[in-house]
Amino acid sequence: MRSDDTGLLAREPGETSYLTEGTTLRSWLLSTDHKRIAILYAISITGFFFIGGAAATMIRLELFTPQGDFTTADEYNRLFTLHGVIMVWFFLVPSIPATLGNFLLPLMVGAKDVAFPRLNLMSWYLYIIAGIFTLAALLLGGVDTGWTFYTPLSTLYSNSYVLLAAFGIFVVGFSSIATGINFIATVHLLRTKGMTWMRLPLFAWAMYATSLVMVLATPVLAMAMLLICAERLLGLPIFDPRAGGDPVLFQHIFWFYSHPAVYIMILPAMGVVSEIIACEARRRVFGYQFMVYAMLVIAVIGFLVWGHHMFVAGQSPFASMIFSFLSFVIAVPSAIKVFNWTGTLYRGSIRFSAPMLYALGFVGLFTLGGLTGLFLASIPVDVHLSDTYFVVAHFHYIMVGGAVSAFFGGLHFWWPKITGRMYSESFARFAAITLFFGFNFTFFPQFILGYLGMPRRYHEYPPEFQVWNVMSSTGAVVLAIGYLMPLGYFAYSLLNGKRASDNPWEATGLEWTTSSPPPKHNFLEPPVVLTEPYAYHDWDEAPGGADETRQDEPA
Amino acid sequence: MLPEASTLAPAVDRIFWGLVALSVVIMAIVGGLILTFAIKYRRGTKANRGPLPDIMSREVEIGWTVATLFVALFIFWWAAAAQLPHFLLPKKALEIHVVAKQWMWKVQHPEGVREIDALHVPVGVPVKLEMTSQDVIHSFGVPAFRIKQDVLPGRYTSTWFEAKEVGDYHLFCTEYCGTDHARMTGTITVMEPEAYARWLAEQPHGEDLAGEGAQLFTALGCSACHGAQARVPAPSLANLYGSQVVLADGNRVTADEDYLRESIERPEAKVTAGYQSTMPSYQGVASEEQVVALVAYIKSQDGKRSQAR
């Protein structure tokens, strides 16, 4: 390591990485390298995260007092719509797949790139175009329908920029579909020699399962958005009850996408956490095959539970019963994952690095989020809790406590690989702990508020709810500070961070066998896989059973 | 703590607190195991880190999978069984009509008394709410009663409760409905039956709902075709409510609130067999409350029901 090395792009002479292959803006904006596209995504997604976060902060400020004196009713409605739309479609859905997934999937399967590199670049442009539409709608005039766009409010009554926002969401869907198709093809076609299905890292499996859901569910969202546009623009009476339309139809179509979308957010998180826990506990993932099957089962059953969003919407009791039943069934594979992560720690050698703190935090928060899901799957309890803060708390535990924690964990875990730099471990641990406490402080009181009956999307509320709201808003301030911290130490790491070795965590996995940051085509020689994915011990390394015979087959 | 002010509330709370207990147990198991392993197996301790015993890999895993499935199915059964009685609306109930609109609740008692953003009900009497919306989807939620039901435009939904404690309770609109969603709240006042009767008597009385409907029936010109002396061929409305109607296309429908309402607003949608579709649409002619009154009038034209009165 040289003493004068400062700045991201300073490298040993003659050494090239994907970061130094061309330094012009053009070489980035027209790059088909999956790693550069991942960076483009990461930068834009971070922008959206902080826009959505700013809206969340203002929402919590408004709720400090019962009479709502910080914003007007309309401003508040536009704020929570902005928060929801940005966070769901422009942050959570693409977060892990488009950044970590794009960067790591080809590396993990030992490929030079994804199967369709130009499609990959196109998907980023679609994302940006969609983002411009939606941001224009949300920032210029605002939309006041909530991120769920329920009809006929959104089609007949809202005087806001619904069309522009809906069109943006329509376009961003194509970006997810393109990413999904790319990942499926990559996993099927580009696995390197010896990378059998049962040797695929769990993160790659997670990307695969997520992609299936993306490709199958997203077109339904596109349909829902098109129908909204058709009714608003052309006056087609699709959801208008006065002309024979069905206002509840929209909810069916919408949740047919949006419930599986929860798994688009959480399956990648499960993949990230599996990688981190195995590495930092230095154990083979407990029950690897069960973990794989659990993800696939979640991806499939995730399509069959949407009706649990509509127990009070006037759907038939029999339909409600069936959706309730299926919602309980999907708890089983989720529980398997939690037990298996816990089991992976058994007899491990655990290092409490920043990524591990995020991963352990994820397990706890996801478990609580999942358990509160059982409340909402139970019809009589759901009738009481639906559309209250209990629901808000529940899905924030899954999406923020779960998906965002895992995203941050993954970002820390693979940061040295992506940038070639180390970050300050102590600052990172401090941020992880701050986020964990800030998160619980923000969202746990909302479970209580929900049980007491406070409805969501209220800019003012009866005074007896204030004490819990003040708690929650105070926690949100801590949370906001926690999210700002990584900006600081990551920026410092880019400029002055210590050089990362190829494999700073001594992890298994092909991505750690190439240099940090990787060269343009990932590997100098196509790698060959001889062991199972998490061979952290001698006894894991012997290629066993059926896999052994496949070793000698011609490629 | 939230009062259990309806007969339904204790059952809901039993399941709620049961789930809380289950969650605490599972969080304790998961959290306890993670903490124990984190301490015992932190890097640098002299714990056994050899291969897992064989029993860990299959039996334990299958065991907890089956146990989870069993617990999930048990809760499903428990919650579903508790819900079943609530699906059945009580036969003898005080029937109250609710019309929601941005951003208020309009309530009509059977005797014709109207309220806005308030509902007075007697304690210990099942109350059935027949609800519809004039514009967007709203939701009628009363946390103290543990009830909630979306109120849809162009369709009737219903729910019921039996209050068991006198007092004032929050009524919230719980489905986001636009600008003043947070202000679409009201108070439900549960009174002793005598106090309720006194209160009802003190209110300015309009015609009762069916009576109001009868007046509208003439005023809006319905009687010209559907009335007893009408010469235009139109289906009779006597004993219509609850009966099976054969349609021109051969299908059958039950003449419920939704069907009656649809036939008033869009008569061409379901034409009765043997009749021409000549009736004009009353959409926009009759207001939401007037439609409610007309439906109440048609419902009262039921031989058996009239005798029971």
Side-chain angles (χ1 to χ4, degrees):
Chain A
M1 177 137 132
R2 300 184 315 179
S3 55
D4 62 340
D5 101 350
T6 51
L8 186 63
L9 300 177
R11 296 292 296 177
E12 308 286 336
E15 199 180 339
T16 61
S17 76
Y18 80 100
L19 288 170
T20 49
E21 279 296 321
T23 50
T24 59
L25 190 60
R26 188 190 152 85
S27 73
W28 279 86
L29 293 180
L30 295 179
S31 172
T32 53
D33 183 347
H34 67 100
K35 299 183 289 301
R36 286 196 161 194
I37 294 168
I39 302 287
L40 292 177
Y41 262 118
I43 294 167
S44 30
I45 277 173
T46 306
F48 281 111
F49 178 70
F50 281 99
I51 294 171
T57 312
M58 285 195 267
I59 289 169
R60 282 317 319 171
L61 284 179
E62 165 76 359
L63 296 174
F64 254 117
T65 57
Q67 64 275 20
D69 32 24
F70 179 68
T71 65
T72 64
D74 254 329
E75 284 162 7
Y76 182 82
N77 298 340
R78 282 156 208 248
L79 275 175
F80 72 67
T81 306
L82 173 96
H83 172 67
V85 168
I86 293 287
M87 285 304 201
V88 170
W89 281 295
F90 293 90
F91 177 72
L92 283 166
V93 166
S95 61
I96 298 177
T99 58
L100 296 173
N102 243 331
F103 196 97
L104 294 167
L105 187 66
L107 285 164
M108 282 185 166
V109 301
K112 280 184 185 168
D113 205 319
V114 289
F116 311 114
R118 275 172 294 197
L119 182 68
N120 202 16
L121 181 65
M122 191 188 85
S123 81
W124 180 72
Y125 276 100
L126 284 173
Y127 173 81
I128 290 297
I129 292 167
I132 290 168
F133 270 107
T134 306
L135 268 189
L138 297 175
L139 296 180
L140 294 180
V143 177
D144 65 354
T145 59
W147 76 278
T148 48
F149 291 96
Y150 273 16
T151 55
L153 178 66
S154 63
T155 50
L156 299 175
Y157 292 87
S158 171
N159 293 313
S160 58
Y161 289 70
V162 177
L163 262 183
L164 219 51
F167 186 70
I169 293 164
F170 175 74
V171 174
V172 82
F174 286 96
S175 153
S176 326
I177 294 170
T179 304
I181 290 173
N182 226 332
F183 284 3
I184 292 171
T186 306
V187 172
H188 272 275
L189 302 175
L190 300 183
R191 281 170 294 132
T192 191
K193 191 163 189 267
M195 180 60 86
T196 60
W197 283 97
M198 281 300 141
R199 286 180 180 174
L200 213 51
L202 286 171
F203 181 77
W205 267 116
M207 285 302 119
Y208 184 73
T210 307
S211 301
L212 291 177
V213 182
M214 277 180 172
V215 172
L216 295 174
T218 317
V220 183
L221 172 74
M223 209 168 83
M225 291 298 141
L226 270 192
L227 291 178
I228 283 194
C229 294
E231 180 154 315
R232 269 190 90 88
L233 207 58
L234 310 172
L236 298 185
I238 301 159
F239 306 116
D240 178 5
R242 288 199 193 116
D246 181 355
V248 184
L249 174 66
F250 175 80
Q251 296 182 25
H252 282 286
I253 306 172
F254 181 81
W255 289 114
F256 186 86
Y257 163 79
S258 292
H259 197 83
V262 173
Y263 301 106
I264 296 179
M265 302 168 202
I266 205 70
L267 286 168
M270 292 172 160
V272 167
V273 164
S274 302
E275 299 293 324
I276 296 174
I277 289 184
C279 172
E280 297 302 74
R282 311 216 66 71
R283 292 296 305 193
R284 165 211 287 181
V285 169
F286 183 79
Y288 168 86
Q289 290 195 17
F290 267 68
M291 295 293 257
V292 171
Y293 298 143
M295 281 197 282
L296 293 174
V297 168
I298 289 171
V300 173
I301 306 181
F303 278 98
L304 304 176
V305 301
W306 81 90
H308 70 216
H309 293 265
M310 294 153 66
F311 288 158
V312 297
Q315 95 189 336
S316 95
F318 297 106
S320 291
M321 286 288 174
I322 287 163
F323 285 122
S324 167
F325 175 78
L326 290 165
S327 305
F328 278 107
V329 170
I330 205 167
V332 176
S334 312
I336 290 175
K337 307 223 49 127
V338 169
F339 288 131
N340 284 19
W341 289 315
T342 312
T344 306
L345 299 175
Y346 179 64
R347 294 195 176 181
S349 170
I350 300 168
R351 175 172 60 192
F352 298 99
S353 63
M356 187 63 161
L357 294 179
Y358 280 110
L360 293 177
F362 168 93
V363 176
L365 301 178
F366 174 74
T367 307
L368 191 57
L371 284 166
T372 49
L374 297 180
F375 290 65
L376 301 174
S378 311
I379 301 172
V381 181
D382 177 79
V383 168
H384 173 50
L385 297 175
S386 74
D387 278 312
T388 68
Y389 264 86
F390 192 95
V391 176
V392 176
H394 159 71
F395 72 72
H396 279 86
Y397 264 81
I398 298 285
M399 293 182 192
V400 185
V404 181
S405 290
F407 181 49
F408 272 60
L411 204 57
H412 285 79
F413 189 63
W414 283 291
W415 183 264
K417 180 54 63 185
I418 295 170
T419 64
R421 299 279 183 171
M422 302 302 288
Y423 50 82
S424 159
E425 186 62 34
S426 44
F427 272 113
R429 280 186 212 167
F430 180 64
I433 291 166
T434 308
L435 280 173
F436 183 81
F437 284 105
F439 176 84
N440 281 297
F441 202 15
T442 307
F443 291 103
F444 198 84
Q446 297 185 1
F447 284 123
I448 298 159
L449 269 177
Y451 173 71
L452 295 177
M454 177 163 161
R456 64 196 284 210
R457 296 172 165 180
Y458 268 29
H459 70 286
E460 55 180 38
Y461 51 84
E464 71 251 36
F465 296 137
Q466 189 179 8
V467 58
W468 304 106
N469 273 301
V470 168
M471 261 194 206
S472 178
S473 293
T474 313
V477 175
V478 179
L479 197 58
I481 295 170
Y483 282 129
L484 287 172
M485 278 192 233
L487 276 188
Y489 61 77
F490 275 155
Y492 184 84
S493 152
L494 285 181
L495 298 171
N496 297 309
K498 210 164 70 116
R499 285 254 171 257
S501 64
D502 290 351
N503 189 0
W505 318 123
E506 297 172 313
T508 63
L510 290 179
E511 77 271 27
W512 300 107
T513 61
T514 187
S515 60
S516 300
K520 189 174 184 201
H521 289 299
N522 297 348
F523 303 97
L524 301 175
E525 293 288 318
V528 178
V529 182
L530 298 171
T531 62
E532 59 175 277
Y534 305 99
Y536 283 104
H537 289 284
D538 298 342
W539 60 80
D540 296 331
E541 280 175 16
D547 286 344
E548 194 165 19
T549 54
R550 281 192 212 159
Q551 280 308 299
D552 306 320
E553 283 173 19
Chain B
M1 230 354 50
L2 190 63
E4 295 183 340
S6 76
T7 51
L8 176 71
V12 174
D13 275 14
R14 252 197 314 281
I15 302 171
F16 179 86
W17 292 112
L19 284 167
V20 169
L22 176 84
S23 304
V24 168
V25 169
I26 292 180
M27 284 307 288
I29 294 174
V30 172
L33 282 176
I34 289 181
L35 272 183
T36 313
F37 293 160
I39 294 165
K40 186 169 176 197
Y41 298 111
R42 69 185 186 280
R43 198 155 297 180
T45 58
K46 288 204 181 84
N48 172 14
R49 295 191 165 88
L52 297 182
D54 276 346
I55 189 172
M56 279 289 286
S57 54
R58 285 273 155 208
E59 285 82 349
V60 171
E61 191 151 29
I62 291 168
W64 73 41
T65 306
V66 172
T68 313
L69 184 66
F70 180 77
V71 169
L73 293 184
F74 171 75
I75 303 168
F76 164 72
W77 168 78
W78 188 27
Q83 182 63 17
L84 283 174
H86 198 73
F87 282 144
L88 305 169
L89 301 171
K91 286 208 182 75
K92 289 202 143 198
L94 179 62
E95 197 174 294
I96 297 207
H97 286 266
V98 178
V99 176
K101 61 165 288 194
Q102 288 175 327
W103 291 274
M104 63 171 76
W105 295 103
K106 299 193 280 189
V107 172
Q108 252 177 324
H109 292 258
E111 295 79 5
V113 173
R114 292 159 184 257
E115 302 181 69
I116 285 186
D117 289 346
L119 171 61
H120 289 73
V121 292
V123 71
V125 174
V127 176
K128 183 182 163 198
L129 302 169
E130 283 286 346
M131 306 188 285
T132 189
S133 159
Q134 217 166 297
D135 38 45
V136 301
I137 300 175
H138 302 274
S139 190
F140 189 98
V142 187
F145 295 167
R146 312 292 188 274
I147 59 162
K148 186 173 290 138
Q149 175 63 51
D150 284 5
V151 181
L152 308 170
R155 200 186 291 179
Y156 286 92
T157 54
S158 49
T159 186
W160 69 278
F161 62 87
E162 184 180 326
K164 58 170 207 175
E165 271 172 48
V166 171
D168 287 345
Y169 305 103
H170 286 300
L171 158 64
F172 292 125
C173 176
T174 51
E175 185 66 86
Y176 173 69
C177 59
T179 308
D180 276 336
H181 172 56
R183 295 191 178 128
M184 194 169 158
T185 56
T187 305
I188 299 200
T189 308
V190 177
M191 311 167 97
E192 292 297 345
E194 308 82 60
Y196 174 71
R198 243 191 338 270
W199 173 85
L200 212 52
E202 284 164 9
Q203 297 307 303
H205 262 68
E207 194 71 52
D208 77 359
L209 205 53
E212 192 185 313
Q215 288 178 358
L216 285 167
F217 194 70
T218 314
L220 293 171
C222 314
S223 59
C225 304
H226 292 283
Q229 271 82 45
R231 270 178 261 157
V232 183
S236 161
L237 304 183
N239 296 322
L240 173 63
Y241 179 69
S243 68
Q244 292 283 312
V245 178
V246 182
L247 300 178
D249 61 9
N251 287 327
R252 285 168 164 273
V253 291
T254 305
D256 55 6
E257 279 95 345
D258 278 322
Y259 167 76
L260 295 177
R261 177 206 177 83
E262 186 183 43
S263 298
I264 294 170
E265 298 203 320
R266 295 189 301 117
E268 74 291 349
K270 296 198 175 80
V271 178
T272 311
Y275 293 91
Q276 295 290 315
S277 172
T278 53
M279 177 173 153
S281 163
Y282 278 79
Q283 186 172 318
V285 177
S287 73
E288 202 64 54
E289 282 103 331
Q290 289 177 326
V291 174
V292 167
L294 283 171
V295 171
Y297 169 68
I298 297 169
K299 280 167 77 174
S300 72
Q301 298 300 296
D302 173 336
K304 280 167 275 172
R305 280 184 158 233
S306 315
Q307 280 160 21
R309 281 181 168 221

